[in-house]
């Protein structure tokens, strides 16, 4: 997403300036060409050499250098940039820009920017809460400047509260968001993720190897593309780099079913990426089962098939299912597509290295109701999520215009 993007990273003089180094690395890792601009005060915290080494570009601190020494010559950075990020943004820089002051290279550049400018503020909690800073933030927002954070937590000045630089993952997510076309705007999407956990007794349970990564990737990408997202998850250890996704935690398949049903009518699209347990213990015991000699027979009964139930009352919904298989992948997936009345099924041979549970990558085939198959190579789960959502967008458009099924996959 950030490949070949020209990004200006403005660093101002706060203790969180050291975190801007990590932000730079993450942007470079994603393929961006980053030009760092530092204020005089920022140089007290981190040496320009650090940013210069990691960005591979000269760090700009003074007006004159921009026009003389740098390889971009007379073309100003403001003209070539796709985005400017100021992280950390101090109370001082917010105040200066909100009041139209341009007395150094960074503030002058901000004034000349025609592309989005993102501020990641970081300061003492009382400074952040001061009416001066709050007024300046409002003013900047009214001018179209964007903000991420600050976050709550321990502060470098001692104490705790809102004032920490947002997590680097959240800043990166915000940057990716700014560059993403909002082709799912207006759509409400329900995504399920993770395993379900079926209790045997108060201590033990049955579950499966799903970690929730595929569902989380789908939820994140759908939100990035403008959808309103509700993510219903079984137990997992994952965190989302955004706070604008409604997350509901459940344990058992029955609980997942109940929550899904509650939200179903109100959504347009359901993507069931959860590995819902097919069976649960017939009786969940209230007391721990005592260790005895010999065998212990556990009787299982079927869990509700959530997706099948959704398919039976499909209406205008778009339904996407997953089929994790260890054999006869396509036959099984095709059958589930029909049985559950789905629009798309994502077939996943979990025996392949790099595919299925727990990995950051996946190898899938996407089948539609017309029997068409799109085979994808080994890709990150984020990439797979985006391709699945591309198909969903086509279905949404078709529905909106009442067109026949899309011809090009
Ligand atoms: O039938 P099978 O479990 O293989 O189908 C997989 C698809 O159905 C997945 O999308 C999964 O989330 C969903 N499913 C469900 N309820 C179940 C079992 C699976 O919704 N009890």
């Amino acid at each position: 997403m950030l490949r070949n993007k020209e990004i200006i990273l403005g660093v101002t003089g706060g203790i969180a300036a050291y975190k801007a180094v990590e932000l730079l690395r993450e942007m470079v890792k994603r393929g961006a060409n980053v030009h760092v601009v530092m204020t005089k005060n920022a140089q007290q915290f981190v040496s320009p050499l650090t940013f210069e080494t990691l960005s591979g570009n000269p760090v700009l601190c003074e007006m004159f250098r921009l026009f003389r020494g740098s390889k971009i010559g007379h073309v100003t950075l403001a003209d070539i940039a796709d985005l400017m990020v100021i992280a950390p943004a101090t109370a001082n820089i917010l105040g200066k820009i909100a009041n139209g002051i341009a007395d150094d290279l960074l503030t002058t550049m901000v004034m000349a920017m025609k592309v989005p400018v993102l501020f990641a503020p970081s300061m003492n909690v009382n400074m952040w809460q001061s009416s001066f800073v709050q007024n300046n933030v409002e003013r900047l927002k009214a001018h179209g400047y964007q903000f991420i954070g600050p976050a709550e937590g321990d502060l470098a000045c001692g104490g705790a509260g809102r004032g920490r630089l947002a997590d680097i993952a959240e800043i990166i997510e915000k940057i990716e968001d700014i560059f993403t076309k909002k082709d799912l705007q207006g759509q409400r999407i329900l995504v399920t993720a993770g395993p379900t956990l079926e209790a045997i007794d108060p201590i033990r349970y049955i579950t499966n190897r799903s970690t929730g990564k595929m569902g989380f990737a789908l939820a994140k990408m759908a939100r990035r593309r403008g959808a309103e997202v509700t993510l219903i998850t079984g137990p997992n250890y994952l965190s989302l780099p955004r706070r604008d996704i409604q997350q509901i935690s459940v344990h058992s398949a029955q609980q997942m079913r109940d929550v899904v049903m509650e939200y179903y009518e109100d959504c347009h699209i359901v993507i069931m990426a959860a590995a819902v347990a097919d069976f649960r213990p017939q009786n969940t015991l209230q007391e721990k089962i005592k260790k005895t000699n010999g065998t212990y027979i556990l009787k299982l009964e079927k869990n509700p098939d959530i997706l099948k139930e959704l398919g039976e009352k499909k209406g205008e919904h778009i339904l996407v299912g997953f089929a994790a298989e260890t054999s006869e992948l396509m036959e099984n997936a095709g059958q589930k597509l029909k049985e559950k009345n789905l629009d798309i099924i994502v077939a996943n041979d979990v025996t392949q290295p790099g595919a299925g549970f727990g990995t950051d990558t996946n190898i899938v085939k996407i089948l539609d109701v017309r029997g068409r198959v799109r085979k994808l190579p080994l890709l990150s789960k984020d990439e797979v999520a985006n391709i699945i959502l591309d198909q969903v967008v086509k279905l949404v458009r078709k529905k909106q215009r009442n067109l026949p099924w899309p011809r090009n996959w």
Side-chain angles (χ1 to χ4, degrees):
M1 192 56 89
L2 299 188
R3 192 147 302 284
N4 300 326
K5 294 281 190 250
E6 299 287 341
I7 299 179
I8 303 175
L9 172 60
V11 184
T12 68
I15 181 63
Y18 77 93
K19 295 183 184 170
V21 175
E22 195 53 37
L23 177 61
L24 165 66
R25 295 193 68 186
E26 289 297 324
M27 290 194 283
V28 169
K29 203 166 94 185
R30 285 166 171 74
N33 188 24
V34 185
H35 308 269
V36 178
V37 181
M38 297 178 82
T39 63
K40 209 168 149 208
N41 288 336
Q43 295 165 58
Q44 300 289 323
F45 291 94
V46 186
S47 154
L49 185 62
T50 307
F51 289 110
E52 199 146 313
T53 310
L54 294 170
S55 70
N57 286 316
V59 170
L60 306 164
C61 303
E62 296 160 37
M63 287 280 212
F64 305 114
R65 195 168 162 201
L66 178 65
F67 299 104
R68 280 199 265 121
S70 104
K71 67 179 177 194
I72 54 168
H74 63 281
V75 182
T76 68
L77 266 181
D79 280 341
I80 62 154
D82 296 300
L83 174 77
M84 181 167 194
V85 188
I86 302 180
T90 55
N92 183 51
I93 199 85
L94 297 178
K96 278 200 206 173
I97 296 167
N99 289 285
I101 294 169
D103 66 349
D104 62 5
L105 180 58
L106 182 52
T107 47
T108 308
M109 241 180 213
V110 175
M111 221 61 79
M113 296 302 291
K114 292 201 184 87
V115 292
V117 176
L118 173 66
F119 289 100
S122 165
M123 65 196 72
N124 164 272
V125 59
N126 296 328
M127 287 172 77
W128 174 250
Q129 283 170 355
S130 87
S131 55
F132 286 112
V133 170
Q134 287 304 310
N135 286 341
N136 288 336
V137 169
E138 285 317 308
R139 215 160 157 186
L140 289 166
K141 283 184 180 169
H143 280 279
Y145 292 104
Q146 305 204 39
F147 280 80
I148 179 77
E152 270 188 57
D154 293 339
L155 301 173
C157 55
R162 185 170 296 281
R164 282 172 68 87
L165 186 75
D167 285 348
I168 301 306
E170 284 189 44
I171 301 175
I172 291 286
E173 176 60 24
K174 180 75 186 176
I175 294 170
E176 302 262 22
D177 187 293
I178 290 170
F179 286 123
T180 303
K181 197 170 145 207
K182 306 296 175 220
D183 54 3
L184 281 167
Q185 192 103 46
Q187 298 300 311
R188 282 192 296 278
I189 304 193
L190 202 63
V191 180
T192 65
T196 64
L197 194 149
E198 312 296 328
I200 298 170
D201 67 13
I203 315 281
R204 304 167 178 111
Y205 54 79
I206 300 175
T207 190
N208 57 57
R209 293 182 191 278
S210 169
T211 55
K213 284 184 178 173
M214 193 64 240
F216 271 64
L218 280 157
K220 181 179 74 179
M221 291 305 178
R223 181 69 197 116
R224 219 188 252 178
R225 292 168 75 152
E228 251 179 72
V229 181
T230 300
L231 175 62
I232 303 171
T233 62
N236 67 81
Y237 295 98
L238 305 175
S239 61
L240 279 166
R242 31 193 329 149
R243 290 152 198 256
D244 51 4
I245 292 174
Q246 184 186 19
Q247 217 176 310
I248 302 171
S249 300
V250 296
H251 281 97
S252 65
Q254 185 61 49
Q255 284 172 347
M256 184 173 276
R257 182 227 162 253
D258 294 347
V259 180
V260 168
M261 291 306 158
E262 194 183 320
Y263 285 84
Y264 188 45
E265 278 319 311
D266 221 27
C267 73
H268 305 103
I269 301 155
V270 181
I271 307 180
M272 285 283 309
V276 185
D278 290 325
F279 297 98
R280 64 177 171 222
Q282 204 170 39
N283 297 305
T284 299
L285 300 171
Q286 298 308 310
E287 296 284 333
K288 184 184 170 192
I289 301 167
K290 294 279 182 282
K291 187 162 46 181
T292 50
N293 289 330
T295 54
Y296 180 86
I297 295 173
L298 183 66
K299 275 203 174 166
L300 303 177
E301 65 183 8
K302 271 210 92 181
N303 260 326
D305 190 322
I306 308 170
L307 199 45
K308 195 158 178 232
E309 196 176 336
L310 300 182
E312 280 160 11
K313 46 178 181 174
K314 189 169 180 189
E316 290 297 301
H317 290 91
I318 291 170
L319 296 182
V320 181
F322 274 74
E325 304 289 346
T326 53
S327 63
E328 284 137 23
L329 178 68
M330 299 307 277
E331 295 77 1
N332 289 337
Q335 201 177 331
K336 279 171 199 174
L337 180 81
K338 281 199 198 84
E339 261 173 31
K340 302 190 189 205
N341 198 14
L342 309 179
D343 296 286
I344 294 171
I345 194 153
V346 183
N348 209 179
D349 178 354
V350 292
T351 61
Q352 278 182 280
F357 300 133
T359 58
D360 288 323
T361 54
N362 215 348
I363 308 167
V364 303
K365 296 184 176 72
I366 306 177
L367 284 71
D368 74 3
V369 277
R370 288 262 202 103
R372 285 173 301 190
V373 180
R374 183 166 172 188
K375 291 181 191 174
L376 300 182
L378 179 80
L379 293 170
S380 74
K381 285 188 173 166
D382 280 358
E383 289 169 312
V384 173
N386 258 335
I387 295 172
I388 295 168
L389 292 172
D390 289 343
Q391 311 302 345
V392 169
V393 167
K394 286 180 188 168
L395 292 175
V396 170
R397 297 220 176 104
K398 174 202 162 264
K399 250 183 29 181
Q400 283 168 344
R401 298 190 210 127
N402 206 16
L403 292 172
W405 261 78
R407 239 175 264 135
N408 304 318
W409 276 76

